[in-house]
Amino acid sequence: MKPDYPMKEIAYQAGVSLATVDRVLHGRGGVRASTVDRVRAAIGELQRQTETALQSGRRFTIDVVMEAPQRFSGSVQKAFEAEMPAMRPATFRCRFHLAETMEESEICAILAKIRKRGSHGVVLKAPNSAEITASVGRLTRKGIPVVTLVTDIPDSGRLAYVGLDNREAGRTAAYFILGFLKGGAGPVLVSLSSTSFFGEKEREQGFREVLAQSANPIDTVSISEGFGKDRTTGAQVAGLIKRYPDICAIYSIGGGNRAIANAFKAAGKGYSVFVGHDLDRDNIDLLRQNRLSLVIHHDLRQDARSACQLILRHQRLLPASFDVAPSTIGIATPFNLPVAV
């Protein structure tokens, strides 16, 4: 054991003599096990205090780049702004680059500008494409860590992914829909904002896996490339209802849920169950109106906190062993809604 601290400091921290510390460090024996544990604990305490001291006064600027409907990106922005003060003694400042839709070239241009200007880290929600993967790789080679949020870009060299286990979220949705339908029924509408988002495809895969294992298989019909926007998503759903008037359930992976519910109402059609994602204002209103059955959600503040912590780890201000777990899946119904969002 070769700690980075003088024996005098270790002895003071542990409340033992210099001779005892010397015996423990050199494995000479003659020391009670409890005393050995105390010395080792003291070294760990000194390490943590050193890391805190290193963080003190350090300022970090990170860039949050998101292609997402405003109702979701706004919630993410609020989450980061709420968590940044809690990251003390380090100080974080965020630069937000948010848009409902962006061409891949636009996202890559933003990432190139960040690479040129410099950043302590990038939090990214973007499609999983070759062009964006290459842009992320250029950032990481420049020493700028990238944390993917909600949807992953797995082959890009990104530092880590934070958010739900999307496959498990899709399986959870299938479990509830099968429970509501209880056997024979018409097809289930599966709505994605875009197939280019890796996380949405994972949710769809998990959903279909559980449906395929059911004793009473249920057909599905799908839409995508509405990008979660009300106008495009609503028009897609209206057209699908004409072709499949017996749709009995909805799994909305990509948003636009108000438009989906309105399209069914305009067609004079009902549904047995409607499962969506994320506790944004639209979804809370739809739950209160009993137009959504339940919402699968997670704590965006946990995501923001995890992203900042991973960037601190990259900066060597948290232990190399530090890691984060996938966000916990939450279920919201009309009976357990938050007071406000």
Side-chain angles (χ1 to χ4, degrees):
M1 185 187 301
K2 294 183 179 180
D4 297 327
Y5 310 100
M7 287 195 295
K8 184 178 180 180
E9 286 188 36
I10 298 169
Y12 182 81
Q13 185 74 19
V16 299
S17 68
L18 277 170
T20 298
V21 172
D22 182 71
R23 284 196 295 271
V24 171
L25 295 183
H26 293 92
R28 293 198 178 105
V31 183
R32 289 194 300 267
S34 60
T35 303
V36 173
D37 290 342
R38 191 189 312 168
V39 171
R40 289 174 175 166
I43 294 169
E45 291 162 6
L46 288 169
Q47 177 65 40
R48 289 190 292 274
Q49 291 168 17
T50 300
E51 289 163 357
T52 299
L54 286 169
Q55 288 183 40
S56 183
R58 291 288 300 272
R59 297 183 179 183
F60 299 93
T61 299
I62 63 175
D63 291 88
V64 180
V65 182
M66 293 187 66
E67 180 187 359
Q70 191 280 328
R71 59 181 172 267
F72 182 70
S73 62
S75 296
V76 171
Q77 181 170 351
K78 287 181 181 178
F80 272 90
E81 290 171 344
E83 280 300 311
M84 284 187 293
M87 299 307 298
R88 297 190 182 281
T91 300
F92 276 83
R93 182 169 71 89
C94 283
R95 297 183 293 222
F96 293 97
H97 314 264
L98 313 175
E100 292 210 327
T101 56
M102 286 189 274
E103 297 293 332
E104 287 183 15
S105 58
E106 294 177 273
I107 298 172
C108 292
I110 292 170
L111 298 180
K113 186 175 181 181
I114 292 169
R115 187 177 75 251
K116 184 176 181 181
R117 182 175 55 188
S119 178
H120 291 105
V122 174
V123 179
L124 177 63
K125 179 187 180 295
N128 179 37
S129 72
E131 189 177 356
I132 292 173
T133 294
S135 291
V136 172
R138 286 190 284 271
L139 279 170
T140 60
R141 288 193 293 275
K142 184 76 179 292
I144 299 173
V146 177
V147 177
T148 52
L149 175 69
V150 180
T151 182
D152 201 5
I153 307 174
D155 299 322
S156 61
R158 72 349 177 220
L159 178 66
Y161 162 78
V162 297
L164 287 173
D165 181 324
N166 284 302
R167 192 178 294 268
E168 289 303 310
R171 290 170 177 158
T172 300
Y175 171 82
F176 278 105
I177 285 177
L178 288 170
F180 271 95
L181 296 180
K182 296 186 183 301
V188 177
L189 166 60
V190 179
S191 172
L192 293 81
S193 71
S194 174
T195 57
S196 63
F197 288 113
F198 186 80
E200 292 195 17
K201 291 298 293 180
E202 284 189 307
R203 291 177 186 180
E204 182 186 22
Q205 288 165 6
F207 182 78
R208 294 187 184 280
E209 285 171 4
V210 174
L211 289 192
Q213 295 164 5
S214 170
N216 298 296
I218 297 174
D219 292 334
T220 61
V221 293
S222 302
I223 59 168
S224 65
E225 312 317 308
F227 298 99
K229 298 173 72 173
D230 284 348
R231 182 179 60 81
T232 50
T233 303
Q236 286 181 326
V237 174
L240 203 66
I241 291 171
K242 292 178 181 178
R243 293 164 53 202
Y244 301 96
D246 56 342
I247 292 172
C248 68
I250 305 159
Y251 177 35
S252 175
I253 295 172
N257 295 335
R258 185 181 297 278
I260 293 172
N262 287 343
F264 275 83
K265 183 178 180 181
K269 299 290 183 180
Y271 41 79
S272 299
V273 55
F274 186 169
V275 175
H277 277 271
D278 304 317
L279 273 181
D280 56 42
R281 173 53 57 192
D282 274 7
N283 283 346
I284 288 176
D285 288 344
L286 290 168
L287 282 169
R288 286 178 175 149
Q289 298 161 11
N290 290 306
R291 302 175 75 192
L292 258 177
S293 308
L294 61 91
V295 169
I296 298 170
H297 68 96
H298 65 289
D299 186 352
L300 293 175
R301 288 187 60 170
Q302 178 187 342
D303 289 352
R305 182 166 60 252
S306 295
C308 291
Q309 290 171 329
L310 288 164
I311 290 168
L312 286 176
R313 185 190 72 184
H314 177 83
Q315 301 292 340
R316 299 185 179 180
L317 298 179
L318 285 176
S321 59
F322 176 85
D323 206 354
V324 299
S327 300
T328 302
I329 293 175
I331 303 295
T333 73
F335 304 102
N336 66 341
L337 290 172
V339 175
V341 172

